[in-house]
Amino acid sequence: MFALLTSYVAAGLVVMLAGRRLGTALAYGVAALPFVATLAWLAVRRRDIATGIDESVGWVGDLGLDLTLRIDGFAALMLLLVAGVGALVVWYSWKYFSTLPPRLLGLLVLFGGSMAGLVVADNLLVVYGCWELTSITSFFLIGDRYRDRHARAAALQALLVTGAGGLAMLAGFLIIGAESGTYQLSVILADPPRGGLMSVALVLVLLGAFTKSAQYPFHSWLPAAMVAPTPVSTYLHSATMVKAGVYLIGRLAPAFAPDVGWWRPVVVGVGVVTMLAGGLRALRQTDLKLLLAMGTISQLGFMVAVLGWGSPLAAVAGGALLLAHGMFKAAAFMVVGILDHQYGTRDLRQLPRPGPGWRPTAVATVVAAASMAGIPLVFGFVAKESAFDALTGEGAGGALALAGVVAGSALTAAYSYRFAAGSLGRSSRPGAARAGPAPVAAFVAPAVLLCAATVLFGVWPAALDGVVDGAARALGPLVEPVHLAVWHGFNLPLLLSAAAIGGGALIAGTTSRRQVREAGKRQAHLPSAEDGYRASLRGLNLVANRVTAVAQPGSLPVYLGVILLTAAVVPGALLLSGRWWPGWPQLVEIPVHVPLAAVLIAMALAAVLVRHRFAGALFLGLTGYAMAGLFIAQGAPDLALTQVAIETLTTVLFVLVLRRLPDRFERRRAPIRRTLRLTLAVVVGVAAFAMTLAVGSLDPVPNIADEMIDDALPEGGGGNVVNVILVDFRALDTLGEITVLVAAAIGTVALARAGRRPAGVPASGDKSERAPPPVRLSRLVTIDVSVRIVFAAVMVGSIWLLFAGHNQPGGGFVGGIVAGAALALRYAQGGLPEVRALSRGRPWLVLGAGLLIAVVTAIVPALAGWPVLDAAAMSLDLPVLGTAKVTSALFFDIGVYLVVIGLAMMVFESFGDDPVVAPPASASASVRRR
Amino acid sequence: MSLLLAFTAAVLFGAGTYLLLQRKLSRLIIGLGLIGHGANVVFVSTSRRGTAPLIGTADPDSFADPLPQALVLTAIVISFGTTALLLALAYRSWLLTHDDEVPDDIDDRDVGRGAIDSEVADAEVINVADTDVIDDEAGRGRAQEASS
């Protein structure tokens, strides 16, 4: 069975993705394959099904989540419907659609697979999973013509209603699972748990079943779903989807109906109401497809009422009803699709009399309608009579239910007549559509086949004894073997059947559609289910909008303010509530801190106060240099080196970008905002102050630092502990970090070099913008030469930093940044071409190579069976140079070095002068004037 | 750790916050840089001060704590990457609007003012009873439910 379910997924995906390539015939063949395979499987395994076939695959055992399947008689009956009607629908689609719809066909197969999974699942959570899969696939099927807003709305409605019910059902399943200690359906049903919570659980599960099976008051999604192409409607509303709820009620009813007091009044009551209301609404339709939709709702109510009764005989009747409905409703939908396809209308007032060549269609129509109405000698009669039989002699409640379904059956007979008469054009009027061409035989064949089966089993119902008997036995113990028959002698059910048919004839003969419509209009002021759905959807939309309005005001300062305030207030509040105060620490540690701190504070304030962009950037750079001084004072030469090099590069970067921007910030008068900003700044500053004091007062965890210092040489093979941490102990972090750098570099280039304006942004200048004057450099030989000499020296220095870094201050980061600074020199001397000429590799190649080297260094130890990034060291005795120690960390560091150089190259590539992106002088001038 | 350095960190954070709450991207970038410096001050001032952690150059017991240094080194390089990216954003903003201001999102504003409430409320809400055509193929099947 697992293989079968997989075949649905595979066939569905193949058709969806490669349908066009397969060609029409092959695509339909592939789509039909899983359905046919399921039928074959049922035929081969029919003897085993009587005892039930169990299959299980472990999944998440700890959660009770095993993929447990159980194919018993009831599941087999459902599979027969799912696969049998499915195969015929695929056939029908082949003639219905003029061109192959790969997406729709593939989804149809996937939907069939979900439905098959649903009926064979023996684990409640698997049931739920398949249930939602049918909801989602039907969403796409109903909304297939997604450009049409009606299709979208209908698909959404089906998804929301059945999805909400599905969620309620999941909650119910979880309660049942908790109450009974297992999620295995067969175990739960064999010994159903009792208790108050079970009632809650059952109500929730029933909500799921009612929404799925379109019971009142959740029915409104079903008529709306008629916007779907007719093959989809045929499959969804005759054999699958809506039958899921009926199936679930059928499964649960024998275990709960006899003992849970409210079960029968509620379930059977809802079913009967649905049957009557759906029948009444079907009577007033003029669109044949809508008529069938309302009829489907009515029939679903019938099945819910019968299967919900939960007695053994009701199970027999329910099985027969499921089969009968699957056959006649599928055939009826197919006929409507054929009429629609040939005539271009399915309005029963406009359909003409069928001409020559329409005989098979006409016969199919009559047979389907007769089965729907429950006329003897078609299978619908047998099923209906067994349903009446099951409700006979069941006390007062049973009598009430019986009266309801007989009345409903009379309505059914009436709208069945109307369906047949309308389809055959008996009531044709002036203004009828032109007679269309007769459908080809292959188009009608699936409907004819279904009708042939309806007649066959109507005359010889005993042929289905085995199937229905198996289904009923799977649901509960049976006293005697099932024997379906046309003639049971003169008894109450026969009388009731006659009453239903007679009543139907009476209704159809005496009341016009208009009268039913008028009766309906008199109740129009009552809130309908559609109104309820629309109101809740509006409410949902409005709530979502309000939440968006609060959570997403669209202002960057607001976002940042909230983030900063949270970051300041939450730890700040914790500090206020805790006993962390260490007492005031010393004012100044070492004298050199005083000038450094003074410069830092002064530069930071200056950066805030200045109104020139350049000046701000410059003060930021000066803050950085002061930071380098602080690093030296704290004993961190690596940091100082890095900071100085970075600060140089950053300044170059700012210069490259800011020269394009207006020099001054514009003044804005918004004093309140300003006060707010100041307040927030003070709050964050105070929080940072308190945090620093708190962190500084903590006893350091001595072991980490000391361990690292102790291990650096023996394990990391390096004397520079900081570098060993970066490229060995915490190398995985560094690998992540350089990946971020690569991403940032690529983003920078992408943003900066996307020189073309996006569509819709008007060009601000004239055509001269496209060809700005080239940047002219007046080159001096002395500068050229000296830059080249200095460049060479700095590059050598950077490489020395890279190699020495393991033992002395330096390393890949520092070396790379120093090399980047050297590039800045070359840029200043000769512009972008000069930088480009240095390397044949483009910046992104250098970046990629660096990342690749680092990753390979990380992976190689793993391949050899050591931990990732494990360092290896070896000593080489080189002639002349003496002993050189090489560690694998060095290669990692080379990767880091290359990434950082690549980043620097990217900067010049992004912002360097370039004829393509250089802005027009006129445009920037106009901005400055503003 | 000293009051002086804690105060320095506080000033860097405060100044950075003030700049971060503005709309000009270039000021934002400077603010972010200042906050980064502030964080680095916290790291190096709250950890053990000492001689450079280079084995063989001094007594290991006098070494400064190397771990925060490694963290800060990473932070410095990363902040260069983010600065470059943000400057690229400013640059692009200038290319498109000749300014580097980050304006409020107009659509979000409209949502906030409730200007599009009615529009949003009716999104994908269709009165099936009002629709004349339940149609499954365009141009075909003009059946009317509610017309007569």
Side-chain angles (χ1 to χ4, degrees):
Chain A
M1 196 63 214
F2 278 110
L4 271 182
L5 292 181
T6 317
S7 76
Y8 281 95
V9 178
L13 291 179
V14 165
V15 171
M16 213 184 315
L17 301 175
R20 292 207 198 290
R21 228 166 291 159
L22 289 177
T24 307
L26 198 54
Y28 280 108
V30 171
L33 211 56
F35 297 109
V36 176
T38 308
L39 291 175
W41 186 90
L42 284 172
V44 172
R45 301 290 300 267
R46 64 183 183 283
R47 305 228 177 280
D48 307 326
I49 287 169
T51 52
I53 302 168
D54 288 294
E55 283 181 41
S56 182
V57 173
W59 187 18
V60 193
D62 296 341
L63 294 176
L65 258 180
D66 287 325
L67 297 176
T68 323
L69 307 183
R70 180 176 169 81
I71 302 96
D72 57 12
F74 193 41
L77 185 146
M78 291 299 296
L79 274 181
L80 192 63
L81 275 175
V82 169
V85 178
L88 290 174
V89 164
V90 171
W91 179 354
Y92 178 72
S93 310
W94 167 49
K95 288 293 162 192
Y96 183 87
F97 293 110
S98 47
T99 53
L100 172 78
R103 185 185 62 222
L104 182 123
L105 194 61
L107 279 166
L108 200 72
V109 177
L110 290 179
F111 174 82
S114 333
M115 196 64 204
L118 171 64
V119 297
V120 298
D122 193 34
N123 182 307
L124 285 180
L125 299 176
V126 180
V127 171
Y128 169 75
C130 293
W131 187 279
E132 294 297 37
L133 281 179
T134 61
S135 290
I136 292 164
T137 41
S138 65
F139 169 76
F140 288 115
L141 285 171
I142 295 168
D144 185 61
R145 285 186 309 117
Y146 52 88
R147 287 183 210 286
D148 178 359
R149 64 193 202 104
H150 291 98
R152 287 203 310 273
L156 187 68
Q157 186 175 4
L159 181 72
L160 287 180
V161 173
T162 60
L167 287 179
M169 192 182 79
L170 174 63
F173 281 171
L174 292 177
I175 297 177
I176 294 178
E179 287 286 293
S180 57
T182 175
Y183 284 105
Q184 205 171 336
L185 192 53
S186 49
V187 175
I188 295 169
L189 292 177
D191 179 22
R194 301 275 172 255
L197 265 181
M198 276 309 290
S199 281
V200 178
L202 288 176
V203 168
L204 291 170
V205 172
L206 282 176
L207 270 178
F210 287 163
T211 49
K212 196 81 164 186
S213 285
Q215 298 296 293
Y216 269 70
F218 308 113
H219 63 281
S220 61
W221 69 265
L222 198 151
M226 288 300 131
V227 296
T230 301
V232 171
S233 307
T234 308
Y235 196 40
L236 259 59
H237 302 133
S238 69
T240 55
M241 180 77 175
V242 294
K243 290 274 175 76
V246 176
Y247 163 81
L248 194 67
I249 289 175
R251 273 269 177 233
L252 299 178
F256 296 104
D259 299 321
V260 179
W262 52 264
W263 175 282
R264 276 179 182 158
V266 169
V267 177
V268 179
V270 166
V272 168
V273 166
T274 305
M275 186 179 188
L276 292 172
L280 279 173
R281 287 195 66 183
L283 272 178
R284 67 178 206 228
Q285 305 303 326
T286 54
D287 180 344
L288 285 176
K289 206 173 170 187
L290 274 179
L291 189 155
L292 286 183
M294 295 303 173
T296 303
I297 293 175
S298 172
Q299 289 290 304
L300 289 168
F302 191 16
M303 282 178 266
V304 164
V306 172
L307 277 168
W309 190 259
S311 68
L313 276 180
V316 173
L321 275 176
L322 278 168
L323 285 175
H325 181 255
M327 287 189 277
F328 70 67
K329 192 50 66 68
F333 269 117
M334 284 174 179
V335 165
V336 170
I338 292 168
L339 293 171
D340 199 6
H341 192 268
Q342 304 300 120
Y343 289 133
T345 180
R346 42 174 207 252
D347 188 329
L348 52 79
R349 293 163 305 183
Q350 292 176 0
L351 286 171
R353 277 165 192 274
W358 279 88
R359 191 165 301 263
T361 317
V363 170
T365 312
V366 171
V367 171
S371 187
M372 191 147 59
I375 309 287
L377 296 184
V378 284
F379 190 60
F381 170 76
V382 180
K384 192 162 287 187
E385 205 176 52
S386 62
F388 293 163
D389 186 38
L391 292 174
T392 310
E394 289 278 353
L400 208 58
L402 192 57
V405 297
V406 170
S409 296
L411 290 173
T412 308
Y415 72 70
S416 300
Y417 167 73
R418 205 149 267 175
F419 168 73
S423 303
L424 298 178
R426 291 280 177 268
S427 54
S428 69
R429 302 173 176 189
R434 278 186 302 115
V440 293
F443 191 15
V444 192
V448 169
L449 269 179
L450 283 166
C451 289
T454 303
V455 172
L456 173 70
F457 298 129
V459 179
W460 182 40
L464 284 175
D465 278 356
V467 175
V468 175
D469 188 84
R473 276 179 204 288
L475 293 177
L478 272 181
V479 183
E480 52 189 69
V482 168
H483 181 61
L484 296 172
V486 181
W487 182 251
H488 286 287
F490 289 102
N491 55 8
L492 183 62
L494 183 70
L495 193 68
L496 292 174
S497 288
I501 296 168
L506 198 67
I507 298 171
T510 55
T511 55
S512 70
R513 198 174 49 242
R514 182 154 305 176
Q515 280 169 305
V516 183
R517 191 178 289 280
E518 291 302 319
K521 271 186 188 157
R522 257 170 266 143
Q523 309 156 4
H525 60 278
L526 294 173
S528 72
E530 283 105 347
D531 294 337
Y533 167 74
R534 276 196 302 278
S536 33
L537 188 56
R538 276 208 183 85
L540 194 66
N541 282 338
L542 273 180
V543 169
N545 203 34
R546 290 291 93 207
V547 169
T548 308
V550 172
Q552 191 180 318
S555 161
L556 184 63
V558 172
Y559 294 146
L560 287 174
V562 168
I563 292 173
L564 287 166
L565 197 64
T566 313
V569 166
V570 173
L574 288 175
L575 285 179
L576 283 180
S577 62
R579 291 190 303 126
W580 62 276
W581 182 246
W584 294 102
Q586 70 215 81
L587 192 64
V588 179
E589 255 178 303
I590 49 174
V592 72
H593 280 167
V594 178
L596 287 172
V599 174
L600 275 173
I601 292 169
M603 294 301 122
L605 293 179
V608 172
L609 293 174
V610 288
R611 299 240 144 253
H612 295 263
R613 285 188 165 81
F614 266 121
L618 207 60
F619 283 124
L620 178 67
L622 287 173
T623 321
Y625 287 120
M627 285 297 292
L630 181 66
F631 289 144
I632 289 178
Q634 298 297 105
D638 284 288
L639 298 192
L641 265 174
T642 316
Q643 185 75 60
V644 168
I646 280 274
E647 229 37 78
T648 311
L649 258 185
T650 310
T651 309
V652 173
L653 183 59
F654 268 105
V655 169
L656 285 177
V657 175
L658 293 189
R659 66 192 166 131
R660 321 239 188 236
L661 294 168
D663 184 35
R664 276 172 161 272
F665 298 111
E666 287 146 51
R667 264 180 199 284
R668 295 234 162 174
R669 281 196 209 117
I672 302 171
R673 289 269 176 81
R674 189 168 178 169
T675 322
L676 203 67
R677 281 208 298 269
L678 263 178
T679 318
L680 199 57
V682 170
V683 168
V684 170
V686 169
F689 184 68
M691 283 274 287
T692 314
L693 290 186
V695 172
S697 70
L698 291 174
D699 287 330
V701 186
N703 297 339
I704 300 179
D706 292 335
E707 259 176 36
M708 282 177 168
I709 292 168
D710 291 344
D711 291 347
L713 203 50
E715 285 193 14
N720 181 354
V721 185
V722 176
N723 184 260
V724 171
I725 292 174
L726 283 174
V727 298
D728 192 336
F729 295 161
R730 306 297 311 164
L732 205 57
D733 298 348
T734 309
L735 187 61
E737 185 211 348
I738 59 175
T739 313
V740 172
L741 277 184
V742 170
I746 291 171
T748 307
V749 169
L751 279 167
R753 308 253 356 168
R756 281 196 311 142
R757 290 164 194 280
V761 177
S764 57
D766 50 1
K767 282 188 178 172
S768 69
E769 189 172 350
R770 297 207 177 275
V775 178
R776 289 209 186 121
L777 290 161
S778 41
R779 302 181 80 150
L780 288 174
V781 178
T782 43
I783 292 181
D784 275 15
V785 171
S786 52
V787 161
R788 274 165 200 238
I789 292 171
V790 175
F791 175 76
V794 177
M795 283 307 283
V796 169
S798 91
I799 292 171
W800 181 82
L801 283 170
L802 164 67
F803 283 94
H806 218 45
N807 291 304
Q808 285 151 40
F813 279 121
V814 182
I817 292 161
V818 170
L823 289 180
L825 270 179
R826 294 300 288 261
Y827 176 79
Q829 171 222 352
L832 189 52
E834 188 80 15
V835 176
R836 281 187 178 153
L838 286 173
S839 155
R840 283 168 64 193
R842 302 256 58 88
W844 35 91
L845 290 181
V846 177
L847 274 172
L851 195 57
L852 191 69
I853 291 174
V855 169
V856 167
T857 323
I859 291 175
V860 165
L863 292 181
W866 297 316
V868 171
L869 283 164
D870 203 29
M874 61 176 174
S875 291
L876 292 177
D877 285 317
L878 296 173
V880 188
L881 290 174
T883 305
K885 224 172 78 175
V886 179
T887 70
S888 65
L890 177 64
F891 293 101
F892 186 75
D893 224 8
I894 291 174
V896 174
Y897 177 81
L898 285 177
V899 167
V900 177
I901 289 189
L903 180 63
M905 290 169 79
M906 291 289 241
V907 165
F908 295 112
E909 188 72 29
S910 303
F911 304 114
D913 270 320
D914 183 272
V916 181
V917 290
S922 61
S924 35
S926 71
V927 169
R928 290 215 178 87
R929 275 200 302 275
R930 241 194 271 161
Chain B
M1 215 266 309
S2 62
L3 270 184
L4 180 67
L5 288 185
F7 180 71
T8 310
V11 170
L12 287 169
F13 267 101
T17 303
Y18 184 82
L19 287 174
L20 213 52
L21 293 179
Q22 311 214 345
R23 290 185 181 277
K24 299 282 180 192
L25 256 178
S26 35
R27 297 205 107 180
L28 247 120
I29 297 166
I30 294 170
L32 211 58
L34 288 180
I35 287 188
H37 287 324
N40 289 347
V41 170
V42 173
F43 264 110
V44 296
S45 69
T46 55
S47 62
R48 190 173 70 196
R49 190 166 49 84
T51 55
L54 302 168
I55 290 170
T57 58
D59 176 18
D61 289 336
S62 69
F63 280 174
D65 191 342
L67 188 58
Q69 292 191 17
L71 295 177
V72 170
L73 201 135
T74 314
I76 295 172
V77 181
I78 284 276
S79 69
F80 177 70
T82 43
T83 305
L85 188 67
L86 284 171
L87 279 170
L89 275 177
Y91 179 72
R92 181 144 186 81
S93 169
W94 179 86
L95 275 183
L96 297 178
T97 66
H98 280 248
D99 199 358
D100 65 339
E101 181 158 318
V102 186
D104 279 2
D105 191 300
I106 296 166
D107 293 336
D108 286 341
R109 272 275 182 85
D110 286 347
V111 171
R113 282 188 291 117
I116 59 166
D117 270 6
S118 53
E119 189 187 324
V120 169
D122 285 336
E124 305 293 334
V125 179
I126 286 182
N127 194 336
V128 178
D130 289 348
T131 58
D132 288 345
V133 185
I134 300 279
D135 184 6
D136 74 352
E137 294 283 308
R140 192 192 312 157
R142 301 193 197 303
Q144 299 179 341
E145 189 200 7
S147 61
S148 67

